Every structure is written in structure tokens, then in C-alpha cells.
Amino acid sequence: MHLGAFLYPTGYHVAGWRHPGAQADAGVNFEHYGELACRAEAAHFDLLFLADSLAIRGDDIEALERTAIRYVAQFEPLTLISGLAARTRRIGLIASASTTYNEPYHIARKFGSLDHISGGRAGWNLITSQNEYEAFNFGMRRHPSHAERYARASEFVDVVQGLWDSWEDDAFLRDKSTGLFFDRTKLHPLRHEGEHFQVRGPLNIPRSPQGAPVLVQAGASEAGRALAARSAELVFCAQNEIHEAKAFYRDMRERLAACGRRDGSLKIMVGVFPYVGRSLAEAEDKYEALQQLVHPVSGLSLLSAQLGGFDLSHVDLDGPLPEIPETEAGQSRRQLLIDMARREELSVRQLYQRIAGGRGHWQLVGTPESICDELEQWFNERASDGFNVMPPYSPAGLYDFIDMVVPELVRRGLFRDSYRGNTLRSHLGLDVPSNRFARR
Amino acid sequence: MHLGAFLYPTGYHVAGWRHPGAQADAGVNFEHYGELACRAEAAHFDLLFLADSLAIRGDDIEALERTAIRYVAQFEPLTLISGLAARTRRIGLIASASTTYNEPYHIARKFGSLDHISGGRAGWNLITSQNEYEAFNFGMRRHPSHAERYARASEFVDVVQGLWDSWEDDAFLRDKSTGLFFDRTKLHPLRHEGEHFQVRGPLNIPRSPQGAPVLVQAGASEAGRALAARSAELVFCAQNEIHEAKAFYRDMRERLAACGRRDGSLKIMVGVFPYVGRSLAEAEDKYEALQQLVHPVSGLSLLSAQLGGFDLSHVDLDGPLPEIPETEAGQSRRQLLIDMARREELSVRQLYQRIAGGRGHWQLVGTPESICDELEQWFNERASDGFNVMPPYSPAGLYDFIDMVVPELVRRGLFRDSYRGNTLRSHLGLDVPSNRFARR
């Protein structure tokens, strides 16, 4: 089983930063991240995972000023993870970077550089940017459509992977006596001429210790799955129901085979959003305590967005959900929420509390044993190869998982008790890719 | 006096990598850079300085395969310096980044992030890219002209500095009891609408510990000087003659005043290319030993480029320079070399050895005392505020300077014997800029 630590600064829950166990300035506290990274490494996690957004998410100032989860104030991931590379020795380091608002030469070079700095522990989570506000920071009038973004991403990844093969592994001789620094027959400029990119290359950094950084993808749409099946080596996804997770896992294996790729050359990790207690009551208390910290402004903003923008600012929080008129956007999610509120007779407050936490990720409230039971079932039934741990509040929520759940996973033989290798590929059981240009 | 360590991987001399005192794989050896950074910090240097190029420089494969100085194989500077931030505590960290092939939002965010990671030690060396090959890695058919590059750079720096003021210093409340994460009155989106850039902002990271990273510039052209006078806080330049350096220093002070800026708000550092020996004979031996390592292919390639591309591949290396026909390009440099060869009766080999080292930077061959005499004179006569040390080979060349020259500078009271502050601004004696949007 593989485990990742999803390092959202103060935690993934909308009110996580208000919890006593949260480091409120985590977003710009490097020592805090260093400590988290070292604790995750001491627990032999496969990887650290950093999400990203190239703009603050949203422009509702009432909601923004009460949140730490909308990329308001946090480190840029590549600089942060390069710093963390210098503070750790074994754990994998995955950072997200957008293909919509970057150039492939920069991305290939920076992740190649990170792989060298870290001695083979780098991974690139390819994102196409969901946040439409990013466009306005890059001189564009509108955010490209989903289809446009994936068309660009598909060519982008080809360029990046091509650049990573600019040099064969043994191209650099560095022979002081003959004066030959490299072997010219092992240099392969890319000369890519495509629809979105023209990139000559070569990349000006040697091939990286892992052959190439691990390619990660998180899109669950048809286009996202197609791209992952063709190129990705790790997929991070949101799943709540085991039968749906198994269907997704099967689908990805079939797509992988259709692309001519070997079974096992793509790993799947599901996000988990855990509340861990020594007893179930303690876990439920942790859950409830956090729910009470959701400010109505934050809760209503989240709920309103999922109800198609319906203005909830004047409703009675402890009354039932009013009639919500139909809109163009997000029909299925909207109806699901309305049905849930009616069926369970939830107040408006109770309804927004339901969605304030994992935001689509698998929420687990329980003891180390009960949580391990669930993870074990998912793992054994091939619903997932592992889990990306998204603590509701951080660092205390992550340390709960490390201190209580990980030892139980190790005891059951589901998770390692020491690192066997030094690279992210070795932790994940992924092959080192061969250079496409090298003669056999 | 201020001192910088210019960390070119194997050293700045074209044959530096072949020297026994050079770490041949330095370009991708993070532990090597970590050691250099710690040694420079132990000697209380103001800063580390990383140059950059977004493509290998040139396409003459015969010359390339014998060189380590053309950005063939080295770390990307921002990832490297972020790693070094985690390995050091006091020394300043300056990385170069091009305004021609980047977006201002990325640059503002990454350097802002570095300033937070390092606790206020970041500097951005603004470059406009001299290397025309970079264009081909970014989808362009040709490298923009000098004027085009500086027009873009000028607006670029306005956007970056505006983004750095997105938040006032005390904007983030992080008040768990009230639930207010920030004070909305201290948020200032940029809303820049210019000729080259449209950037709404705000930047999604708090204002940095130094107010803003230190802005560094190295262009000596009219456009470069104008930009530096308006925006830069540190200028790095190549000067060989004290009267020319003094004239440059005076010119920059006058330009500074004309921009309404305070005297002392811009520091000037001259590059020095030192060969240090316990005796003059030892220093000269070090110089000669390195010259002997210049391979004719490398030397002729450098010389040919400076003679307007004239093909020298069939000349007698130990004979005189043949007649060189006139060409369109680089008249003054070409004539200077021809005149020097004729006047001093240099062979072709001797001529290329002359230019194989500092490539325009001030070369000093001497004892700690004689080198300190020269640096002291330049400093006292206001030819420079300090020096960026560019070792011919690395690490041994840098350690020679640290072990022999720095103690003598300290003994003379010219250089600090301990750090007084923790930020790059404090080392350089630069003010923390106030936020342009903040009410007084």
C-alpha cells in the first residue's frame, strides 16, 4: 500500500485553520513544512503532495477573508518542494504545475532539476487549472475551455517527456584528461513542431536520476482519463464508494492495456480525509468540533456555489433549505444536495457543514482499527493502490494519522516499516523509463 | 565592502572543469553546492549569485562537447537556490531569471516564495536573455531585439513590484477566535493593463519578509543603465580599469538622483576573476596551469566568435594571427584583438588563452596582500561597493579566495567578521521598501 501526505497548509477543511491543532501561518512557515516532511518521512510515506493554483480561488471577499484554503497566502510549490528536498533524504516529492499557464521547457527543466537536487525523488502532478481566475494573471480575457486545456496538456506532456530524453544516461563523460565533457552521439535535440508548441531543445540539464520525474495526473473526466492512460504513472483521485472506485480502477487498467502499457505501470491513489480517535466517540468529537468552527459566511459561500450561485445570505440557518430555482450550471450536484437536505431533514447549517470538509474526498471518522479495516478492504479489492492523506487540520490531523493509523497498517503487513529504495519510483514500484533515442 | 560568490558550476574559465581543483559534475551535484554555500556563509559573504540561460549557448558541437560553461548541464537556478535556502541561514540568495521568456506573475510568486522560505534572503537578478538560442525553446522564430527586450523588461518589473505589494505587511490576522484570516482593507489587487502585460492580481502569497526581494540588474547598455537607475538595488558589472569603473559608478549615482532615488539605495558590485597564491609566482603558476588546459578547439571557437566568425580551424596555433577580413559584426572587439596580437607578437594559441578566462571580467593574479590592495583601492575610490567573486575553477578557486583573501580583508577592516543581520537587505545596507498602497 502506498501513502501520500497531501500538504494543504492549515488542512483541507474550510475551517481547519481555526482548529487549535492547526498552524495558522503554515502557508508561509517553512520550518513548519520541514517538520511535516520529516515526520512523514520518519513514517516511511511514499510521497509528499503539493496542490496549486495560480490565483486566489474566487472573488467573494466575504468568504475569502475567512478562509485559508483558497490559495490566498501560501508558498509557490516548486520553490517549497526544492527546499523540502534539502531537508529530507528518502521521501518522494510531488508538486503540481499547470500546463495551461506554463511553458514546457520551464516545466521539464525545473522538475528535471528537482529530480537531481533530490537524488531521484521528484514527481510532476500535471494540472490543467480549474480556477478560471488564473487567466486574468496571465494576460488572457477568459480561461480556456476544458477541451482546449486538455488538447494543450496532451501536447505539453509530449514535449516535456521528449526534453527529458535530450541526453542519454551516460552522455556526460567529464573526462579531464581528454577534455571531452560529453559524448555528442548521446545528445538528442527534440525539434518538436506541434500545434501548440515549437521547442527545439535540447534540455540543458542531464537526464534525471529517475530517468524522468514521475508523471502524476488527477483529472477524472474522459479527457483526463485518456491522458492519464497514455502518459501518467500515478493517478490521484476522489472516490467515496468502493464500487465506484473499483470501476474507476478497472477502467484505468483497461485503458492502460489499450495504450499498450504494462499492468502496474500506473498506480492509483485515493484521497482520504480522516478523523482519527482512540475511540469512535473521540473521532466523532473531533469531527463535530471542527464543524462548529465553520463560519456561516464560509459555509453559505460553499453551499451557494454548489447550488448554482443561489443567494443564501438571508435564509434562516437553522431552518430548512428554501426552494432553489433551477439554473444552467451543475445540475447533478445541485439536485444531490437538495435531495439530501430533504431526505435527512437537514437545516441550512447542517447542510453546509456536510460539504465543508472533504469537498468530495472520502471522509473517514473512526478508530485506527476501523479506518485500517476500510483502507485494507479498498486495497485488497483493488479499489486503490494507496491513499493520499488529506488532514482536515494540519499538522495535528496528519500526526494523528501517522501516530495512530500507520502503526496499525504496518502491524497488518499492509505498509512498509522501512524504505527499501531511495527514489520515488522505487517506493511506488515503477520502472525507470528507457531513453527513447538510445540505441538498444 | 560587499562580497558575492558567483557560483558557476565548475568555474568561470573555459577550461576550469579540467583543473584538478574543479568538481567536474558540479552542475548537478547538490551536495557540492551545499558545501560551497556553507563555506561562503561561514566567511560571511553577502550573497550567492546564480547566472542563467534558457538554452545551451551556441550550436558548435566541437566546442560544446569540450565545455562546461555554456549551460550544457546544470541545475535550474530557482530550484537550486530554494534548496540552498534550506541548507543556509544568513547568506543572501540571488538567482537570475529572464523577463523575455517568463511571465511576471510566476516570477513575482517564485521570488516572493523564496523570500519567505529563506526568511528574507532572496534577490532576483533581472536578465533579458543574451542567448538567441533561447527563442527556439519557447516557440519563437527569432530572439527579440535588445530594444524589444528592454521595453518588455521595463513593464515586467513594474508588474512584479506591483504584485509584491498586493498585501500590506500586517494584512494577515489569522485570528482563530473571530474567524478572520485577513483584513480585506489591506488587500490591493494590481489590475495592471499595459502594452505587454495584463495582470489582475493579487499575488497569492503574503508580502515578503524583506518587503520585496532585492532587485538586481547587470545590463551595462544605455537601456540597462536606465532600467537599473529606475528599479534596481544592486548592479553587477564587468569592469577592468579603475577609471572606467569610477565613471560607471558616478554615472549610476547621477541617474539615481535623476530618478529621485536616495544615494546609497543602489549598490554596485564588480566581477573579479582571481588567481590567488601565497607568492606571486604561485599565483602565476596557477594561471599558467589553467591556460595550458585550454583545448585548441575551445580556444579557437571563442576566438573565432570574437573575430566575426572567421574560420581559424586550419591555422598554425603557434604562428601569428593571419589576416582577418572585415565583417559586419563586432568591429571594436575584433580590432582590439587584432591590435593586441600584432603589438605583443602573440601566437594564435597565446591570443585565445588571453580571452579564455574572465571573458571581460577583472582578472587578478597575485598574493592575498596584492589582491586586497587592488580591491581596497577600488572600494575606497568609489569604483565599486563590492565584488562578485568568479573563481576560474570551482570549488578550489573559491576556497583560495575565502581562505587567503577574505581574512586579509577582515584584518584591514574592509569586510565584516560576522553577520549583523539576517536578511540580504541588512547585509547590503538597503532599506525595506514601503508598500505603495498602504496609507501612511
Side-chain angles (χ1 to χ4, degrees):
Chain A
M1 185 187 296
H2 303 292
L3 289 179
F6 186 101
L7 300 186
Y8 229 59
T10 51
Y12 199 71
H13 190 287
V14 70
W17 73 272
R18 298 184 66 188
H19 190 278
Q23 178 76 30
D25 70 350
V28 289
N29 184 330
F30 181 67
E31 293 307 320
H32 166 76
Y33 270 101
E35 169 76 17
L36 279 177
C38 291
R39 289 283 292 270
E41 184 171 67
H44 314 113
F45 272 53
D46 293 74
L47 54 96
L48 308 176
F49 189 99
L50 298 180
D52 196 29
S53 177
L54 293 166
I56 292 172
R57 286 197 171 164
D59 57 6
D60 172 357
I61 191 72
E62 300 274 349
L64 281 176
E65 69 181 357
R66 295 186 174 277
T67 183
I69 60 163
R70 296 197 189 197
Y71 297 89
V72 170
Q74 62 198 69
F75 291 120
E76 185 278 331
L78 264 161
T79 43
L80 172 59
I81 209 144
S82 301
L84 295 177
R87 288 283 172 92
T88 54
R89 298 177 61 85
R90 309 287 286 271
I91 196 165
L93 305 162
I94 296 178
S96 302
S98 170
T99 53
T100 303
Y101 301 108
N102 273 301
E103 289 286 331
Y105 195 87
H106 286 310
I107 294 299
R109 189 170 177 237
K110 285 183 161 71
F111 281 93
S113 188
L114 176 65
D115 208 38
H116 281 282
I117 288 170
S118 64
R121 297 184 286 133
W124 168 37
N125 182 36
L126 182 166
I127 56 177
T128 66
S129 294
Q130 290 186 341
N131 178 4
E132 64 188 22
Y133 293 93
E134 296 183 20
F136 310 132
N137 289 334
F138 294 91
M140 292 172 68
R141 296 289 160 201
R142 68 165 189 88
H143 188 54
S145 71
H146 188 270
E148 289 169 324
R149 300 202 309 273
Y150 270 90
R152 179 181 164 102
S154 182
E155 188 180 333
F156 195 114
V157 77
D158 287 343
V159 176
V160 168
Q161 293 185 318
L163 286 170
W164 282 336
D165 281 345
S166 293
W167 301 91
E168 294 182 35
D169 292 317
D170 55 352
F172 288 91
L173 308 168
R174 305 188 181 98
D175 186 334
K176 292 188 180 188
S177 59
T178 63
L180 277 176
F181 194 69
F182 65 81
D183 175 351
R184 67 170 82 171
T185 68
K186 297 186 174 178
L187 164 62
H188 307 282
L190 184 63
R191 298 193 185 90
H192 175 89
E193 297 280 339
E195 188 185 336
H196 300 86
F197 304 106
Q198 298 79 45
V199 179
R200 195 173 77 164
L203 198 62
N204 56 356
I205 187 165
R207 198 156 189 266
S208 79
Q210 294 189 104
V214 173
L215 192 71
V216 188
Q217 227 265 316
S221 66
E222 174 58 35
R225 292 183 193 205
L227 180 60
R230 188 168 72 79
S231 307
E233 299 167 281
L234 177 63
V235 162
F236 170 48
C237 60
Q239 298 288 346
N240 289 273
E241 303 290 340
I242 190 167
H243 65 276
E244 288 173 11
K246 287 164 75 169
F248 178 78
Y249 194 107
R250 266 196 311 275
D251 178 60
M252 289 309 303
R253 285 181 69 192
E254 285 165 15
R255 288 172 186 262
L256 203 66
C259 290
R261 292 178 61 196
R262 187 179 63 75
D263 197 29
S265 63
L266 174 72
K267 305 293 179 180
I268 293 175
M269 288 177 93
V270 167
V272 293
F273 184 70
Y275 295 84
V276 193
R278 295 285 166 200
S279 64
L280 180 59
E282 187 185 275
E284 286 174 341
D285 285 350
K286 286 183 178 180
Y287 171 76
E288 275 306 322
L290 197 50
Q291 297 301 66
Q292 298 310 315
L293 293 174
V294 180
H295 194 281
V297 166
S298 303
L300 290 175
S301 168
L302 280 173
L303 186 55
S304 169
Q306 297 198 7
L307 292 174
F310 183 74
D311 181 10
L312 294 164
S313 54
H314 302 292
V315 303
D316 174 11
L317 295 183
D318 297 305
L321 189 69
E323 286 301 312
I324 308 291
E326 294 218 359
T327 62
E328 291 294 307
Q331 290 302 322
S332 64
R333 180 71 180 162
R334 175 183 158 283
Q335 200 56 50
L336 189 136
L337 288 174
I338 294 171
D339 292 348
M340 183 164 72
R342 301 277 177 263
R343 188 176 61 245
E344 304 187 35
E345 296 184 357
L346 300 175
S347 68
V348 172
R349 190 192 307 273
Q350 288 168 324
L351 185 61
Y352 72 61
Q353 286 178 346
R354 282 287 177 89
I355 62 167
R359 299 196 296 289
H361 287 282
W362 187 28
Q363 179 172 291
L364 284 168
V365 182
T367 62
E369 293 72 25
S370 73
I371 288 175
C372 283
D373 288 346
E374 297 234 49
L375 301 183
E376 183 168 11
Q377 185 192 6
W378 281 50
F379 179 71
N380 285 342
E381 295 188 18
R382 303 205 75 170
S384 189
D385 296 309
F387 304 95
N388 212 355
V389 181
M390 314 173 80
Y393 46 92
S394 181
L398 183 65
Y399 296 162
D400 278 355
F401 192 92
I402 287 175
D403 295 339
M404 294 194 272
V405 180
V406 172
E408 178 65 16
L409 290 172
V410 172
R411 200 188 61 73
R412 296 186 189 189
L414 289 165
F415 189 61
R416 68 175 70 85
D417 62 356
S418 67
Y419 287 116
R420 267 65 173 181
N422 295 313
T423 67
L424 176 55
R425 288 188 181 279
S426 70
H427 303 334
L428 292 171
L430 293 170
D431 291 338
V432 171
S434 56
N435 188 313
R436 72 189 66 185
F437 300 116
R439 262 174 280 166
R440 303 298 155 109
Chain B
M1 186 187 293
H2 304 291
L3 289 180
F6 186 101
L7 300 185
Y8 229 60
T10 51
Y12 199 70
H13 190 288
V14 70
W17 74 272
R18 297 185 65 187
H19 190 279
Q23 177 75 31
D25 71 349
V28 289
N29 184 331
F30 181 67
E31 294 306 319
H32 166 76
Y33 270 101
E35 170 76 16
L36 278 177
C38 292
R39 289 285 292 269
E41 185 170 66
H44 314 114
F45 272 53
D46 292 75
L47 55 94
L48 308 175
F49 188 100
L50 298 179
D52 197 29
S53 178
L54 294 166
I56 291 172
R57 286 199 172 162
D59 57 7
D60 171 359
I61 191 71
E62 299 274 349
L64 281 177
E65 70 181 357
R66 295 186 174 277
T67 182
I69 60 161
R70 296 197 189 198
Y71 297 89
V72 169
Q74 62 197 70
F75 291 121
E76 184 278 331
L78 264 161
T79 43
L80 173 59
I81 209 143
S82 300
L84 295 178
R87 288 283 172 94
T88 54
R89 298 177 61 85
R90 307 289 285 272
I91 196 165
L93 306 162
I94 296 177
S96 302
S98 170
T99 54
T100 302
Y101 300 106
N102 272 300
E103 289 286 331
Y105 195 88
H106 287 309
I107 293 298
R109 188 169 177 237
K110 286 183 161 70
F111 281 93
S113 187
L114 177 65
D115 208 38
H116 280 283
I117 289 170
S118 63
R121 297 185 284 134
W124 168 36
N125 182 37
L126 182 166
I127 55 176
T128 66
S129 294
Q130 290 186 342
N131 178 4
E132 64 189 22
Y133 292 92
E134 297 184 19
F136 310 132
N137 289 334
F138 294 91
M140 291 172 69
R141 295 291 160 200
R142 68 165 187 87
H143 189 52
S145 71
H146 188 271
E148 289 170 324
R149 300 201 309 273
Y150 270 91
R152 179 181 165 102
S154 183
E155 188 181 333
F156 195 113
V157 76
D158 288 343
V159 176
V160 168
Q161 293 184 318
L163 288 169
W164 282 336
D165 281 345
S166 293
W167 301 91
E168 294 181 36
D169 292 316
D170 55 353
F172 288 90
L173 308 168
R174 304 186 181 99
D175 185 333
K176 292 188 179 186
S177 59
T178 64
L180 277 176
F181 194 69
F182 65 82
D183 175 351
R184 68 169 83 171
T185 69
K186 297 185 174 178
L187 164 61
H188 306 283
L190 184 63
R191 297 193 185 91
H192 175 89
E193 296 281 338
E195 189 185 334
H196 299 87
F197 305 106
Q198 297 80 44
V199 180
R200 194 173 77 164
L203 198 62
N204 56 357
I205 187 165
R207 198 156 188 266
S208 80
Q210 294 189 105
V214 174
L215 192 70
V216 189
Q217 227 265 314
S221 66
E222 175 57 36
R225 292 183 192 206
L227 180 60
R230 188 169 73 78
S231 308
E233 300 167 281
L234 177 63
V235 163
F236 170 48
C237 61
Q239 299 289 346
N240 288 274
E241 302 291 340
I242 188 166
H243 65 276
E244 288 173 11
K246 287 162 76 169
F248 178 77
Y249 194 108
R250 267 196 310 276
D251 178 59
M252 289 309 301
R253 284 181 71 193
E254 286 164 14
R255 289 172 186 263
L256 204 64
C259 291
R261 292 178 61 196
R262 187 178 65 72
D263 197 30
S265 63
L266 174 70
K267 306 292 180 181
I268 293 175
M269 288 177 94
V270 167
V272 293
F273 185 71
Y275 294 84
V276 193
R278 296 284 167 198
S279 64
L280 180 59
E282 188 184 274
E284 285 173 343
D285 284 350
K286 286 182 178 180
Y287 171 76
E288 274 306 322
L290 198 50
Q291 297 301 68
Q292 299 309 316
L293 294 174
V294 180
H295 193 281
V297 166
S298 303
L300 290 176
S301 168
L302 279 174
L303 185 56
S304 168
Q306 297 197 8
L307 292 174
F310 183 75
D311 181 10
L312 293 163
S313 53
H314 301 295
V315 303
D316 174 10
L317 295 183
D318 297 306
L321 189 69
E323 285 301 313
I324 307 291
E326 294 219 358
T327 63
E328 290 294 307
Q331 289 302 322
S332 64
R333 180 72 182 162
R334 174 183 160 282
Q335 199 56 48
L336 189 136
L337 288 174
I338 294 172
D339 291 348
M340 182 166 73
R342 300 281 178 263
R343 187 174 63 246
E344 305 186 35
E345 295 184 358
L346 300 175
S347 69
V348 171
R349 190 192 306 271
Q350 287 167 324
L351 185 60
Y352 73 60
Q353 286 178 346
R354 282 287 177 91
I355 62 166
R359 300 195 297 290
H361 287 282
W362 187 25
Q363 179 171 292
L364 284 167
V365 182
T367 63
E369 293 72 25
S370 74
I371 288 175
C372 283
D373 289 346
E374 298 234 48
L375 301 183
E376 183 168 10
Q377 185 192 6
W378 280 50
F379 180 69
N380 285 339
E381 296 187 17
R382 304 205 74 169
S384 188
D385 296 308
F387 305 94
N388 212 356
V389 181
M390 313 173 80
Y393 45 93
S394 182
L398 182 65
Y399 295 162
D400 278 354
F401 191 91
I402 287 175
D403 294 339
M404 294 193 270
V405 179
V406 172
E408 178 64 15
L409 290 172
V410 172
R411 200 187 60 73
R412 297 187 189 189
L414 288 166
F415 191 62
R416 68 176 71 86
D417 62 356
S418 67
Y419 286 115
R420 267 66 173 179
N422 296 314
T423 67
L424 177 55
R425 288 187 181 278
S426 70
H427 303 335
L428 292 172
L430 293 170
D431 291 337
V432 171
S434 56
N435 188 313
R436 71 189 66 185
F437 300 116
R439 265 175 277 167
R440 306 295 155 110

